[in-house]
């Protein structure tokens, strides 16, 4: 997302809450210098909890990413993804023939099904007016890291909190079907919010009330917005708006120590129609100056990783409310995000 875009949205935001909310988390749950946030909850206990879903007789594997292509829906705030297939070639004096591809342009960590590094978002001590030079030197990150700690020069990769610091995520996953619960079988509307009470309601409706959310879980939320993902993307609709997670829900999943949250939408945050153009306010309950407060809270405050554009339709269709999920981002040194291929293994429900 570009600085001009942020300025436009920030200036359109209404004054709803006090600015003290903009502080990054310096009192982490984990020891000083921590760079993985809620991923500290992963380990033998979450692996053991995950294992029974792999062993069920009717277990299936589910791809939770969309196929990457030059014609997929693409973020207007990132470099377009474009790859060329190269001609088949060989080696003189051998029988070999082989194929390769070349990347022409890309912002790999921000296109397609992608995972945010914790260092993807920081927070400023004051709102930027969009006219003066961007005051990046004042940015604060998760754990109290400063701009000098994380990105000391404009062309520097992330020295702290990069995607290469994210460990393999192998744990139990909870899928909540907001398309059914809130959308009544239809995709949720743009700007609609999945709130904390909705999470509680879906857990009960899906027979998960007693289990609830547990530390180290991955939380998948199917809003139905992913049904709008079309390839080739001729309508140019998917990335214009969308439903998202509510601020109270973001705080709730932080209290539950969720390690990663993924929605089948482009932004994780709710984006009402017209918000990206500065013609509409952010969703109700969004603090002043933080139109992407879910990104802010997950990344800069709680240390919760995010996946955008998760492909959750098949998992929801089969009512696989609990599964073992495996998420492995690329270990790009200092990357702010990564293409990712999450998978879940579990048995279809009734």
């Amino acid at each position: 997302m570009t600085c001009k875009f942020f300025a436009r949205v920030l200036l359109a935001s209404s004054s709803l809450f006090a600015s003290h909310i903009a502080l990054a988390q310096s009192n982490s749950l984990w020891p000083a210098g921590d760079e993985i946030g809620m991923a500290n909850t992963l380990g033998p206990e979450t692996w053991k909890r995950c294992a029974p879903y792999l062993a069920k007789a009717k277990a299936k594997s589910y791809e939770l990413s969309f196929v990457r292509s030059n014609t997929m829906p693409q973020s207007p705030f990132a470099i377009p993804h474009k790859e060329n297939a190269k001609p088949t070639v060989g080696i003189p004096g051998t029988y070999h023939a082989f194929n390769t591809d070349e990347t022409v342009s890309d912002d790999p960590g921000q296109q397609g099904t992608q995972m945010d590094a914790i260092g993807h978002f920081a927070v400023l001590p004051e709102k930027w007016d969009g006219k003066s030079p961007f005051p990046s030197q004042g940015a604060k990150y998760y754990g109290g890291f400063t701009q000098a700690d994380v990105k000391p020069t404009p062309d520097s990769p992330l020295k702290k909190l990069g995607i290469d610091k994210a460990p393999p995520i192998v744990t139990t996953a909870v899928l909540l079907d907001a398309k059914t619960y809130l959308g009544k079988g239809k995709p949720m509307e743009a700007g609609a919010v999945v709130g904390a009470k909705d999470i509680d309601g879906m857990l009960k409706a899906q027979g998960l009330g007693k289990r609830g959310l547990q530390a180290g879980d991955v939380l998948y939320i199917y809003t139905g917005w992913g049904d709008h993902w079309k390839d080739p993307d001729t309508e140019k609709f998917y990335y214009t708006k969308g439903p998202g997670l509510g601020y109270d829900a973001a705080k709730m999943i932080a209290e539950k120590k969720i390690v990663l949250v993924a929605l089948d939408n482009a932004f994780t945050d709710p984006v009402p129609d017209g918000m990206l153009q500065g013609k509409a306010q952010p969703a109700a309950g969004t603090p002043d100056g933080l139109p992407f407060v879910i990104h802010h809270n997950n990344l800069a405050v709680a240390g919760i990783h995010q996946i955008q554009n998760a492909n959750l339709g098949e998992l929801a269709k089969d009512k696989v409310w609990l599964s073992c999920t495996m998420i492995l981002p690329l270990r790009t040194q200092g990357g702010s995000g990564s293409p990712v291929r999450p998978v879940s293994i579990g048995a279809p429900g009734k």
Side-chain angles (χ1 to χ4, degrees):
M1 297 181 183
T2 66
C3 290
K4 289 183 179 179
F5 163 71
F6 274 121
R8 188 165 64 241
V9 175
L10 286 168
L11 293 171
S13 300
S14 61
S15 179
L16 296 172
F17 286 86
S19 62
H20 70 270
I21 193 173
L23 298 176
Q25 175 63 276
S26 58
N27 296 318
S28 170
L29 296 171
W30 320 110
D34 173 61
E35 296 187 59
I36 64 172
M38 293 298 181
N40 282 284
T41 58
L42 300 174
E45 286 302 314
T46 59
W47 304 336
K48 180 179 178 181
R49 198 167 72 204
C50 193
Y53 300 103
L54 303 174
K56 288 191 175 183
K58 295 184 179 180
K60 295 170 55 178
S61 64
Y62 294 85
E63 293 281 358
L64 306 184
S65 62
F66 290 104
V67 174
R68 295 172 67 84
S69 78
N70 292 344
T71 55
M72 68 181 178
Q74 300 205 30
S75 170
F77 311 114
I79 298 170
H81 169 83
K82 183 173 174 56
E83 289 188 352
N84 286 343
K86 296 165 66 177
T88 303
V89 296
I91 302 172
T94 76
Y95 294 104
H96 298 303
F98 60 90
N99 298 296
T100 59
D101 313 296
E102 64 177 355
T103 299
V104 179
S105 66
D106 203 2
D107 198 342
Q110 300 301 319
Q111 296 286 19
T113 303
Q114 49 90 194
M115 177 173 161
D116 291 335
I118 293 178
H120 176 47
F121 255 56
V123 67
L124 300 173
E126 297 179 352
K127 287 192 288 186
W128 177 47
D129 61 13
K131 299 177 182 178
S132 59
F134 184 66
S136 60
Q137 69 278 3
K140 286 288 188 72
Y141 293 78
Y142 167 80
F145 287 113
T146 66
Q147 183 73 4
D149 295 326
V150 176
K151 193 173 175 67
T153 62
D155 60 352
S156 169
L158 303 186
K159 302 296 185 181
K160 301 283 187 181
L161 306 174
I163 197 66
D164 53 312
K165 304 297 175 61
I169 296 175
V170 180
T171 187
T172 40
V174 175
L175 172 69
L176 298 180
D177 186 357
K179 177 182 176 181
T180 296
Y181 186 81
L182 294 173
K184 307 305 180 185
K186 297 181 179 179
M188 291 177 64
E189 297 291 333
V193 167
V194 178
K197 66 177 183 179
D198 300 318
I199 290 177
D200 282 335
M202 285 185 281
L203 287 168
K204 293 175 182 176
Q206 295 174 206
L208 303 174
K210 184 176 180 179
R211 181 196 185 277
L213 299 176
Q214 299 180 10
D217 279 344
V218 163
L219 177 59
Y220 292 124
I221 301 178
Y222 177 53
T223 69
W225 196 258
D227 298 358
H228 298 303
W229 181 280
K230 302 291 193 308
D231 191 354
D233 180 25
T234 56
E235 298 174 1
K236 307 298 181 184
F237 174 84
Y238 178 85
Y239 262 104
T240 61
K241 51 198 168 187
L245 196 66
Y247 183 40
D248 63 340
K251 291 187 287 186
M252 173 191 186
I253 67 172
E255 292 172 359
K256 297 291 186 180
K257 297 185 176 64
I258 296 300
V259 67
L260 179 146
V261 62
L263 280 69
D264 60 329
N265 72 346
F267 307 107
T268 303
D269 290 80
V271 175
D273 190 15
M275 175 181 152
L276 298 184
Q277 297 76 34
K279 298 178 180 179
Q281 303 297 326
T286 302
D288 176 42
L290 292 170
F292 290 93
V293 72
I294 309 307
H295 269 69
H296 164 75
N297 200 75
N298 286 344
L299 301 175
V301 178
I304 296 174
H305 283 94
Q306 302 180 150
I307 288 176
Q308 280 97 46
N309 308 320
N311 183 6
L312 302 176
E314 286 300 311
L315 204 64
K317 179 182 176 182
D318 283 357
K319 301 184 187 303
V320 185
W321 307 142
L322 295 172
S323 64
C324 180
T325 198
M326 303 173 192
I327 301 169
L328 302 173
L330 299 179
R331 299 184 70 195
T332 303
Q333 186 178 43
S336 62
S338 171
V340 70
R341 184 185 180 181
V343 298
S344 267
I345 298 176
K350 296 180 180 179

